[in-house]
Amino acid sequence: MSKLSVAIVITNYNTWELTQRCVRSCYIHDEGHFDTLVVYDDCSRTEFDGSFPDSTRLYRGSPNIGLTKALNIAFGLVSEDIVILFDSDAYPTTPFCRDVKQMFAIDPSLGLIGFRTIGRTGNATESYTSEPNIWSLLLGQAVYAKMERWLADKSERRSVFTCAMAVRKVAFLELNGFDENFDWLDLDHDFSMRMNRSHWRVELAPGPRIFHEGGGTPQLTRNRVLRFYKSRWHLLLKFHRLPVKRLVKVLILLRLCAEYVVLLGLGSLLIRNKVAREDKIQGRRELIEFCFGNYRTS
């Protein structure tokens, strides 16, 4: 077995019970096969009244700085060769350290590994995807989801989600970690896309299974959608994936305006729930204002 050392990093913000579950599962399935387990708390508002195994290292950050900065700090707290990262609402259901060590040991050019994730029913959930392209912004998330099989990026380059990934520490340092211009949306796409464009490789671990269903950050739908439009434009702009930017901006605005008009006129027929309907109408208004004022084309 490889001599590579392994650290596990779990970030927490007001999710102590979930974090305890993740930590407990790491020890159940792989105790003795990792060198360090770090929980980094990003200044939670809730008190921690539980406990972790004695060898767990708990760091409490202050003030709250957001996921991306918290991740960079957490990675800086460990010195092992490999860093395995789990969201607090994820947890391993099988051993995973040996497979990860072996993959990194066999391939010195391997920089990033994604895990396969499952939900409560045991069916696969999304832990990686193709690299984002312009269609998710042009069509909107709902329409794009229905047409993704035809419109998705065909390069076969994988984008691995931070819910469950393993990173070679030297590769992480070469890439200067996570880009702190992103919040918790698209930071993993950016990291994976930079890894794909470097001399490091990205692969999937075929054996281990990690539980993760997502939805661990509650917020109004319109706020989540607005975050998506902010992050995705910045991501595509950064990687030069916005051809004819001015035209793209106009097309996005035309679609949003059309959706806004339809919601105003037919919203009560399309969305029975008044709160949900008003949230969507206000969300479209905010999106139009944001895209018009902030989508730079030069």
Side-chain angles (χ1 to χ4, degrees):
M1 183 56 61
S2 166
K3 299 295 184 181
L4 292 172
S5 55
V6 174
I8 299 172
V9 167
I10 304 164
T11 55
N12 173 76
Y13 180 65
N14 297 327
T15 55
W16 290 112
E17 289 187 9
L18 295 176
T19 300
Q20 282 184 282
R21 181 183 66 177
C22 184
V23 170
R24 182 171 61 249
S25 296
C26 289
Y27 279 96
I28 288 173
H29 291 292
D30 255 334
E31 185 171 11
H33 298 133
F34 56 85
D35 301 272
T36 302
L37 193 154
V38 167
V39 173
Y40 182 86
D41 175 56
D42 189 22
C43 197
S44 289
R45 296 190 305 269
T46 56
E47 292 295 325
F48 179 46
D49 56 6
S51 63
F52 294 120
D54 291 340
S55 58
T56 304
R57 291 162 51 188
L58 172 61
Y59 291 88
R60 296 176 184 266
S62 183
N64 174 264
I65 55 176
L67 177 60
T68 313
K69 292 180 180 179
L71 283 173
N72 283 335
I73 291 176
F75 269 68
L77 295 172
V78 299
S79 58
E80 281 73 13
D81 302 309
I82 301 165
V83 183
I84 297 174
L85 173 64
F86 292 133
D87 277 358
S88 62
D89 60 347
Y91 64 88
T93 63
T94 65
F96 54 96
C97 286
R98 288 186 174 181
D99 288 50
V100 168
K101 286 183 183 180
Q102 187 173 36
M103 289 180 69
F104 278 115
I106 290 173
D107 186 355
S109 67
L110 184 58
L112 174 63
I113 291 175
F115 291 103
R116 297 187 184 274
T117 55
I118 58 173
R120 298 182 192 282
T121 62
N123 293 327
T125 58
E126 196 173 39
S127 60
Y128 66 94
T129 186
S130 57
E131 291 190 348
N133 61 26
I134 194 174
W135 290 108
S136 57
L137 275 180
L138 279 177
L139 299 178
Q141 291 172 279
V143 175
Y144 175 72
K146 296 177 181 179
M147 305 181 68
E148 185 173 3
R149 60 182 297 185
W150 298 286
L151 299 177
D153 182 85
K154 300 300 190 292
S155 68
E156 298 187 355
R157 293 181 295 214
R158 296 186 179 96
S159 183
V160 176
F161 299 161
T162 52
C163 62
M165 63 165 53
V167 186
R168 194 186 296 270
K169 184 66 181 291
V170 66
F172 179 86
L173 294 174
E174 274 191 25
L175 267 60
N176 296 314
F178 296 103
D179 183 346
E180 295 179 2
N181 289 307
F182 293 92
D183 57 15
W184 50 265
L185 279 184
D186 283 355
L187 73 98
D188 34 22
H189 285 311
D190 171 77
F191 185 72
S192 297
M193 290 169 76
R194 285 187 286 129
M195 190 76 73
N196 281 326
R197 285 154 181 75
S198 71
H199 63 92
W200 298 103
R201 295 180 57 253
V202 178
E203 289 290 347
L204 299 177
R209 291 294 183 272
I210 312 299
F211 174 89
H212 187 256
E213 288 186 323
T217 307
Q219 61 176 319
L220 290 172
T221 299
R222 71 172 188 271
N223 293 339
R224 182 181 292 272
V225 173
L226 181 58
R227 282 176 178 265
F228 168 80
Y229 275 79
K230 289 179 179 178
S231 299
R232 187 55 52 89
W233 181 271
H234 176 62
L235 178 76
L236 297 177
L237 195 64
K238 178 177 178 178
F239 288 93
H240 308 290
R241 309 203 81 178
L242 284 172
V244 199
K245 293 187 285 292
R246 191 179 301 276
L247 176 60
V248 171
K249 176 178 178 177
V250 169
L251 292 174
I252 292 171
L253 285 168
L254 286 174
R255 174 179 58 79
L256 291 173
C257 288
E259 291 173 355
Y260 181 63
V261 170
V262 170
L263 286 168
L264 285 177
L266 302 174
S268 59
L269 298 176
L270 299 172
I271 306 171
R272 297 293 185 181
N273 185 290
K274 183 179 179 181
V275 174
R277 182 171 67 250
E278 291 179 350
D279 179 65
K280 192 171 285 289
I281 291 172
Q282 183 177 344
R284 284 299 176 272
R285 187 185 307 120
E286 293 172 352
L287 279 176
I288 292 167
E289 293 174 356
F290 174 81
C291 295
F292 181 80
N294 295 276
Y295 275 11
R296 58 185 181 86
T297 59
S298 58

